[in-house]
Amino acid sequence: MDVPIISLVEWIQVVRISSPALVPNVTDLGQGEAEVIALGIQSPESLLILDDSLGRRIADLYQLKYTGTLGVLIKAKKSGHLNAIAPVIDQLRTQGMWLTDKIIGDILRLAGE
């Protein structure tokens, strides 16, 4: 799967965390997830993209709004940006994203596939 160069994607704005104190210090939480949560605390109107279950539980504690990668794919399909999400899910699995067959089945039903 091709990963875009973020600086070349016009609609993406890179935002820095205003204070390192916002980053939750949770042992089992990855640095990326911790920084996403910190950005959510900094901008509570944001919609976070979190796939990690611990990250989602922490976001719930802060009452932050979030979705996952698969939620983004469903929205992209419903908005007409993707014709089908099944091939994208296959690519994600090939790249190492862990998804159960049940989750995939549920998502494909929600997407009308």
Side-chain angles (χ1 to χ4, degrees):
M1 180 171 3
D2 294 330
V3 177
I5 299 169
I6 298 299
S7 61
L8 299 179
V9 181
E10 293 177 12
W11 55 269
I12 293 179
Q13 178 185 5
V14 177
V15 178
R16 305 265 181 241
I17 299 167
S18 62
S19 170
L22 293 173
V23 179
N25 189 9
V26 178
T27 304
D28 293 333
L29 187 64
Q31 185 65 30
E33 288 86 1
E35 289 183 7
V36 166
I37 291 167
L39 287 169
I41 294 167
Q42 181 175 304
S43 301
E45 72 285 353
S46 299
L47 177 65
L48 310 181
I49 301 171
L50 289 167
D51 291 318
D52 180 82
S53 62
L54 177 58
R56 287 176 172 218
R57 289 197 312 263
I58 294 169
D60 285 336
L61 290 173
Y62 286 103
Q63 299 179 351
L64 300 172
K65 296 175 289 186
Y66 59 84
T67 189
T69 301
L70 300 178
V72 172
L73 293 178
I74 289 171
K75 186 166 184 157
K77 181 176 180 189
K78 288 182 177 180
S79 299
H81 298 290
L82 288 174
N83 293 324
I85 63 172
V88 180
I89 290 173
D90 289 342
Q91 286 181 328
L92 289 170
R93 285 183 101 178
T94 300
Q95 297 296 317
M97 187 173 194
W98 184 81
L99 299 166
T100 66
D101 291 338
K102 180 184 180 336
I103 290 171
I104 292 170
D106 291 346
I107 293 301
L108 292 177
R109 273 190 293 285
L110 282 172
E113 293 183 34

